[in-house]
């Protein structure tokens, strides 16, 4: 009954949009016509996606497996391919689809363009710390321009999973722990990838992933079971996905985890009821890699046929690499387990997106070698990478104002395995980046200053070459470089140490139970600290690390993540003060791994703890509940003060609004930028509410001595949440409003909401 309802609903949606505008009418008419000619086998073929499987510009594929896929391609049984790289390869495969299949339906080519294509930008988590939405839109735009110039139509990004657990390696791909910021970042990235008009040759289709709840993998272990309630799903996990739909994203990818014990790929409620129903999404959903077949080990599907049946009926439109739609759907329809209307709906969605890309007008429109040569890794694109790199850095500590460093007259010891590493800064999911192509910190520092810089690696962080598929082999025993490093440190005015994670220590399948500096790095840092206390620690990592010892002993700490192609230049510009750091954390840094998941928008519990000494309260015996560095935190080389928090009215109703303001002053001696943050607490709700929720922010730049009034408008929409009634609505009552430079801000004003 439910299924019939959805099919009816999607037909209604289609006819509603058919009625809505002539272009849509034309598009749907074209698709009707095409679909009327398609056999069931060809329809199942459109729903099948394969990984690039042979060198299409070379000889015919060898081996049964390859040959079978090639035959399927020629028979119109493949609708999309991923990971086919380069104009020539894409053109060659497209030619087979267009010229050799019966109906000549073009393929759509997808790839993970996560933080750049050839020009690599900071990993998304880093870039979100800029809080600069325009910048994030711009870097996605550049990535799309490069990917499309190389023949691609579709990126599997943005990843909009909310992440609260630093053990999970994939935190690097998202925008951190907050749904409000995450929603704005999702919108910026989708707009950047998709541009103004999808049929422009410099745009690509975006894909909001992983739908949904993948970031909640238990114990931070990748692909693990996730357990959260319906309110967490709607209030914390869903908002960035909804924002992506509102921004016009054309595809979704589902996720590997379960929701309410049902694998997301086979989850009717989130895919059909919510996404395609409540949210009116008329693009298509691709499964995650093999996730249809993986419903078998999940213990949800009996076999491949059952898995295909469950997935398609639940709303998964395209099968990435399970090969089950192409092999099972025809029979499933014939024996009545899957309705032809279900298949038609999925195929229509896929063809719609191909139509919007303009592939039916010109299937080779993105295949332009000239463009590819000119636009990939251009000087202009690299400038955006540098800007993004500088803006993503977060200054965590600067006690003795050791930073910024003087440009000359200093003896600097540069120490650490990552100081000359030109590969790690490219991070994971680096697409077409050339191996070892990032600028290193040593290069950046040499280009930027006249100081005498001596370098010692101190240790090897890892052995061998690393890549997406292998585990990084960490050095746990070779300390032979320590002595040289200690010697140069002892003879220097200041030591810059570059430590952290190798570029493939975070990302997919890279969960860690120990989130300290890997290998012998902390030991090296302690040794150097014995001979020189003037240490600036530059941390490169794909996740928040446990920096508790470092925070206690090291005067200056810069969180430099993995910043991409211009990493070393960006870091040097910050070290020497050419750029005054303005980044703020979008994910909390725990005091130790035992604290995770730790996040700012937690709930109070019935026994909130305020100190370690309290025994029967919700706290630990060994560390405070608060993280080491909280969400929203980050320092500058100047200082800011906040005063005169005020609201123009302490009463509002659901149709009125109030204004809140605060005075911000630059009290230091440099020009600087501050991310002014608005938080609201809904004191009593029909369900327990978070202690604070981000509800606005502004980037304000001030000269030394300058002050300004920063204002926010609060209306009913900011107070809504998914209530006990299972509806998005606000609830009358008392609210607290905070404005400050991080999520720890404590001063507040109260206001009341009435109906
Ligand atoms: C990942 C996705 C990715 C896909 C294709 C999967 O393993 O979970 O995020 O888009 O592979 O590369």
């Amino acid at each position: 009954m439910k299924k019939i309802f959805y099919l009816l609903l999607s037909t209604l949606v289609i006819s509603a949009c058919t009625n809505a505008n002539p272009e849509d009418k034309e598009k749907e008419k074209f698709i009707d016509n095409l679909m009327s000619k398609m056999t069931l086998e060809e329809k199942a073929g459109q729903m099948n996606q394969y990984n690039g499987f042979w060198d299409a510009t070379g000889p015919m594929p060898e081996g049964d497996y390859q040959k079978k896929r090639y035959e399927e391609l020629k028979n119109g049984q493949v609708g999309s391919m991923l990971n086919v790289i380069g104009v020539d390869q894409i053109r060659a495969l497209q030619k087979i689809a267009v010229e050799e299949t019966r109906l000549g339906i073009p393929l759509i080519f997808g790839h993970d363009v996560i933080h750049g294509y050839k020009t690599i930008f900071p990993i998304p988590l880093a870039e979100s710390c800029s809080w600069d939405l325009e910048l994030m839109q711009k870097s996605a735009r550049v990535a799309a321009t490069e990917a499309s110039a190389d023949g691609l139509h579709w990126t599997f990004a943005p990843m909009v999973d909310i992440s609260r657990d630093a053990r999970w390696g994939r935190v690097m791909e998202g925008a951190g722990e907050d749904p409000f910021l995450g929603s704005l970042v999702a919108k910026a990235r989708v707009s950047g990838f998709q541009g103004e008009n999808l049929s422009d040759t410099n745009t690509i289709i975006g894909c909001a992933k992983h739908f949904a709840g993948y970031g909640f993998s238990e114990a931070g272990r990748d692909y693990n079971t996730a357990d959260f309630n319906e309110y967490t799903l709607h209030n914390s996990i869903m908002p960035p996905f909804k924002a992506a739909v509102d921004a016009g994203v054309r595809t979704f990818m589902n996720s590997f985890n379960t929701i309410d014990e049902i694998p997301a790929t086979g989850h009717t409620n989130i895919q059909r009821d919510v996404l395609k129903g409540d949210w009116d999404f008329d693009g298509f959903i691709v499964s995650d890699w093999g996730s249809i077949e993986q419903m078998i080990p999940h213990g949800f599907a009996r076999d491949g046929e059952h898995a295909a049946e469950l997935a398609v009926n639940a709303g998964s439109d395209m099968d990435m690499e399970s090969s089950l739609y192409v092999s099972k759907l025809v029979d499933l329809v014939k024996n009545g387990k899957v309705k032809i209307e279900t298949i038609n709906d999925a195929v229509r969605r896929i063809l719609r997106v191909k139509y919007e890309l303009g592939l039916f007008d010109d299937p080779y429109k993105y295949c332009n070698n000239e463009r590819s040569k000119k636009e990939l890794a251009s000087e202009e694109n690299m400038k955006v990478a540098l800007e993004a790199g500088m803006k993503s850095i977060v200054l965590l500590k600067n006690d003795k104002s050791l930073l910024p460093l003087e440009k000359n007259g200093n003896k600097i010891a540069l120490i650490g395995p990552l100081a000359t590493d030109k590969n790690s800064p490219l991070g994971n999911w680096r697409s077409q980046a050339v191996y070892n192509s990032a600028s290193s910190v040593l290069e950046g520092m040499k280009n930027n200053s006249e100081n005498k810089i001596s370098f010692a690696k101190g240790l090897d962080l890892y052995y061998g070459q690393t890549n997406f598929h292998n585990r990084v082999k960490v050095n746990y025993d070779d300390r032979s470089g320590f002595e040289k490093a200690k010697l140069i440190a002892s003879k220097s005015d200041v030591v810059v140490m570059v430590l952290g994670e190798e570029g493939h220590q975070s990302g997919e399948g890279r969960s860690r139970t120990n989130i300290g500096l890997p290998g012998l790095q902390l030991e090296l840092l302690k040794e150097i600290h014995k001979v020189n206390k003037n240490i600036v620690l530059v941390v490169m990592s794909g996740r928040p690390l446990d920096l508790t010892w470092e925070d206690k002993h090291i005067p200056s700490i810069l969180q430099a993540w993995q910043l991409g192609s211009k990493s070393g230049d960006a870091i040097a510009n910050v070290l020497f003060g050419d750029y005054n750091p303005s980044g703020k954390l979008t994910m909390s840094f725990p005091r130790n791994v035992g604290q995770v998941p730790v996040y700012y928008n937690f709930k109070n519990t019935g026994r909130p703890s305020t100190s370690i000494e309290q025994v029967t309260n919700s706290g630990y015996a060994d560390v405070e509940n608060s993280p080491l560095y909280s969400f929203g935190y980050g320092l500058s080389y100047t200082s800011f003060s906040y005063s005169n928090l005020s609201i123009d009215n302490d009463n509002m109703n659901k149709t009125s609004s109030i204004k809140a303001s605060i005075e911000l002053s630059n009290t230091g001696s440099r020009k600087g930028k501050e991310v002014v943050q608005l938080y609201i607490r809904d004191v009593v709700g029909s369900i327990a509410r978070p202690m604070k929720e981000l509800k606005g922010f502004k980037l304000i730049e001030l000269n030394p001595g300058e002050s300004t009034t920063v204002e926010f408008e609060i209306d009913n929409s900011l107070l809504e949440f998914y209530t006990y009634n299972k509806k998005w609505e606000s609830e009358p009552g008392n609210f607290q409003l905070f404005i400050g430079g991080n999520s720890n801000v404590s001063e507040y004003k109260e206001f009341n909401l009435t109906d």
Side-chain angles (χ1 to χ4, degrees):
M1 186 60 212
K2 224 174 181 181
K3 255 184 262 164
I4 296 172
F5 172 73
Y6 290 121
L7 290 170
L8 274 174
L9 190 75
S10 57
T11 319
L12 283 177
V13 169
I14 291 161
S15 44
C17 74
T18 335
N19 293 336
N21 96 42
E23 266 174 44
D24 283 345
K25 218 170 180 174
E26 187 118 329
K27 172 170 63 184
E28 300 301 327
K29 209 169 121 199
F30 175 89
I31 296 169
D32 283 342
N33 183 31
L34 181 55
M35 283 179 60
S36 70
K37 297 181 192 145
M38 291 171 79
T39 62
L40 181 52
E41 284 76 5
E42 284 163 340
K43 287 179 180 171
Q46 283 304 304
M47 299 165 69
N48 180 32
Q49 185 188 52
Y50 280 150
N51 189 43
F53 51 86
W54 100 98
D55 175 5
T57 55
M60 283 296 132
E62 281 175 19
D64 290 348
Y65 172 73
Q66 307 273 48
K67 277 192 188 137
K68 181 172 163 282
R69 288 189 161 198
Y70 175 51
E71 286 307 313
E72 284 173 348
L73 178 58
K74 286 203 300 188
N75 289 340
Q77 288 176 299
V78 182
S80 170
M81 296 190 64
L82 75 152
N83 297 338
V84 179
I85 300 300
V87 167
D88 295 338
Q89 291 293 328
I90 289 178
R91 183 187 285 280
L93 289 165
Q94 191 70 298
K95 201 160 182 286
I96 298 173
V98 172
E99 293 182 10
E100 297 188 40
T101 66
R102 194 178 71 89
L103 293 171
I105 302 175
L107 298 166
I108 175 171
F109 289 90
H111 179 58
D112 294 278
V113 183
I114 307 294
H115 54 114
Y117 184 70
K118 194 96 176 182
T119 303
I120 304 300
F121 296 97
I123 54 170
L125 177 61
E127 209 186 45
S128 69
C129 294
S130 70
W131 297 57
D132 187 333
L133 300 169
E134 243 172 70
L135 169 77
M136 288 181 250
Q137 180 166 346
K138 188 155 68 170
S139 73
R141 186 85 291 280
V142 171
T145 307
E146 291 195 0
S148 61
D150 219 21
L152 289 165
H153 311 137
W154 180 19
T155 174
F156 306 123
M159 189 274 231
V160 302
D161 295 313
I162 295 298
S163 330
R164 297 171 166 177
D165 191 330
R167 290 172 297 186
W168 191 50
R170 299 198 80 167
V171 301
M172 58 140 309
E173 288 173 59
E177 71 192 38
D178 184 63
F180 179 87
L181 178 62
S183 300
L184 294 171
V185 173
K187 180 172 176 243
R189 290 190 168 139
V190 169
S191 314
F193 289 132
Q194 297 195 165
E196 305 261 291
N197 185 345
L198 283 178
S199 75
D200 291 346
T201 47
N202 64 358
T203 57
I204 54 177
I205 299 285
C207 179
K209 72 185 190 186
H210 304 84
F211 197 59
Y214 187 31
F216 281 61
S217 294
E218 237 172 49
R221 205 178 78 210
D222 208 1
Y223 318 118
N224 199 6
T225 297
D227 197 4
F228 44 82
N229 64 52
E230 186 185 342
Y231 300 101
T232 303
L233 174 69
H234 286 278
N235 286 318
S236 303
I237 295 171
M238 290 296 213
F241 287 103
K242 173 68 166 58
V245 172
D246 293 344
V249 76
R250 300 309 286 136
T251 66
F252 261 57
M253 183 184 291
N254 55 36
S255 56
F256 293 123
N257 56 285
T258 53
I259 300 171
D260 293 335
E261 322 299 359
I262 295 172
T265 308
H267 207 286
T268 308
N269 176 261
I270 67 158
Q271 298 186 112
R272 287 209 187 275
D273 302 18
V274 178
L275 176 58
K276 294 179 179 178
D278 297 347
W279 298 354
D280 274 354
F281 172 69
D282 72 349
F284 69 88
I285 307 178
V286 63
S287 79
D288 203 347
W289 184 296
S291 70
I292 297 181
E293 190 173 28
Q294 288 158 23
M295 291 200 289
I296 305 171
H298 263 297
F300 187 65
R302 285 184 302 275
D303 51 27
E305 184 175 295
H306 191 206
E309 175 193 336
L310 290 168
V312 77
N313 284 336
S316 298
D317 302 306
M318 186 179 274
D319 170 1
M320 180 192 285
E321 273 294 328
S322 287
S323 309
L324 287 175
Y325 279 5
V326 68
S327 59
K328 308 290 182 201
L329 284 186
V330 171
D331 284 346
L332 282 167
V333 172
K334 286 187 179 152
N335 64 28
K337 297 236 168 83
V338 173
K339 298 222 163 12
I340 184 64
E341 291 82 358
T342 306
I343 304 290
N344 285 344
D345 176 57
V347 174
R348 177 178 292 280
R349 288 168 180 275
I350 294 164
L351 294 177
R352 191 179 280 146
V353 172
K354 291 186 177 183
Y355 181 98
E356 289 164 7
L357 281 165
L359 293 176
F360 289 108
D361 294 333
D362 177 2
Y364 307 107
K365 62 190 284 198
Y366 293 80
C367 294
N368 178 339
N369 274 317
E370 282 311 299
R371 233 190 98 198
S372 161
K373 262 185 231 133
K374 201 171 115 219
E375 295 186 14
L376 268 52
S378 71
E379 216 172 287
E380 225 170 281
N381 295 353
M382 287 294 175
K383 278 191 198 145
V384 184
L386 177 61
E387 179 193 352
M390 295 187 299
K391 289 182 169 175
S392 302
I393 294 173
V394 185
L395 178 63
L396 296 176
K397 202 181 161 196
N398 198 18
D399 267 7
K400 298 198 275 178
S401 291
L402 214 51
L403 289 173
L405 301 172
E406 292 298 331
K407 289 224 177 194
N408 46 42
N410 263 325
K411 274 193 279 173
I412 302 179
L414 177 64
I415 296 174
L418 292 172
T420 47
D421 194 325
K422 293 169 68 60
N423 202 42
S424 288
L426 300 170
N428 209 329
W429 292 116
R430 59 181 63 180
S431 193
Q432 298 311 299
V434 173
Y435 192 77
N436 269 342
S437 63
S439 61
S440 73
V441 178
L442 178 61
E443 288 166 348
M445 285 178 73
K446 282 200 163 154
N447 289 339
N448 196 313
S449 91
E450 306 290 320
N451 291 300
K452 182 171 177 314
I453 301 173
S454 339
F455 166 72
K457 205 178 197 182
L459 53 79
D460 283 314
L461 170 54
Y462 59 97
Y463 301 121
Q465 246 200 25
T466 64
N467 63 41
F468 182 81
H469 296 285
N470 64 18
R471 286 260 178 250
V472 175
K473 291 192 180 55
V474 177
N475 167 24
Y476 289 106
D477 42 35
D478 182 0
R479 297 171 175 80
S480 55
F482 277 31
E483 282 315 309
K484 182 179 171 204
K486 278 168 76 173
L487 189 69
I488 67 160
S490 65
K491 292 184 178 161
S492 301
D493 304 314
V494 59
V495 184
V496 175
M497 292 201 66
V498 190
L499 306 176
E501 291 183 312
E502 197 279 333
H504 285 100
Q505 282 187 295
S506 51
E508 184 171 354
R510 267 71 181 191
S511 300
R512 291 175 56 203
T513 60
N514 175 345
I515 53 169
L517 290 168
L520 300 170
Q521 295 182 96
L522 182 56
E523 202 177 309
L524 174 68
L525 180 59
K526 288 180 177 171
E527 287 300 305
I528 300 296
H529 185 252
K530 285 181 192 158
V531 298
N532 193 334
K533 305 267 183 279
N534 280 344
I535 299 178
V536 174
L537 173 62
V538 177
V539 181
M540 283 187 186
S541 64
R543 71 179 92 221
L545 294 179
D546 165 354
L547 299 176
T548 296
W549 186 92
E550 294 82 339
D551 177 69
K552 200 161 167 202
H553 298 94
I554 306 299
S556 291
I557 307 178
L558 272 187
Q559 177 62 33
W561 306 107
Q562 287 145 350
L563 297 177
S565 303
K566 302 298 275 181
S567 170
D569 305 279
I571 293 170
N573 285 352
V574 169
L575 287 174
F576 294 111
D578 299 296
Y579 185 83
N580 185 356
S582 53
K584 301 264 190 180
L585 298 178
T586 55
M587 202 176 161
S588 308
F589 274 47
R591 292 177 191 275
N592 64 41
V593 76
Q595 256 191 336
V596 295
V598 61
Y599 48 95
Y600 86 95
N601 45 2
F602 61 90
K603 306 206 180 75
N604 207 25
T605 80
R607 293 188 175 197
S609 168
T610 51
S611 96
I612 294 178
E613 301 314 319
Q614 294 170 317
V615 177
T616 51
N617 289 52
S618 180
Y620 299 102
D622 47 1
V623 293
E624 288 169 34
N625 284 358
S626 62
L628 182 64
Y629 305 119
S630 349
F631 176 84
Y633 170 81
L635 302 172
S636 159
Y637 293 154
T638 191
S639 51
F640 293 99
S641 79
Y642 287 82
S643 56
N644 296 334
L645 173 65
S646 66
I647 48 177
D648 68 351
N649 198 334
D650 53 15
N651 269 302
M652 66 176 269
N653 61 38
K654 293 190 177 178
T655 54
S656 67
S657 64
I658 57 173
K659 281 206 176 71
S661 63
I662 199 154
E663 188 115 336
L664 175 73
S665 309
N666 181 342
T667 49
S669 55
R670 285 174 177 260
K671 188 174 178 173
K673 204 177 339 157
E674 172 76 336
V675 184
V676 179
Q677 301 156 44
L678 166 76
Y679 294 90
I680 292 180
R681 177 181 179 197
D682 183 352
V683 183
V684 177
S686 58
I687 55 172
R689 304 287 291 128
M691 287 299 283
K692 260 180 211 153
E693 292 176 289
L694 181 75
K695 292 293 176 184
F697 61 90
K698 286 189 176 161
L699 275 65
I700 307 285
E701 188 159 44
L702 293 179
N703 286 314
E706 201 184 347
S707 297
T708 190
T709 304
V710 186
E711 267 189 7
F712 292 95
E713 185 166 342
I714 293 96
D715 66 15
N716 188 55
S717 68
L718 288 185
L719 309 180
E720 288 180 340
F721 66 104
Y722 189 80
T723 66
Y724 184 75
N725 296 333
K726 303 184 190 301
K727 276 208 276 198
W728 274 88
E729 58 189 350
S730 60
E731 294 177 339
N734 190 236
F735 292 81
Q736 295 171 351
L737 179 150
F738 310 73
I739 303 179
N742 65 63
S743 60
N744 274 333
V745 50
S746 55
E747 191 195 338
Y748 62 84
K749 291 280 173 202
E750 284 186 296
F751 67 92
N752 212 56
L753 173 74
T754 53
D755 267 324

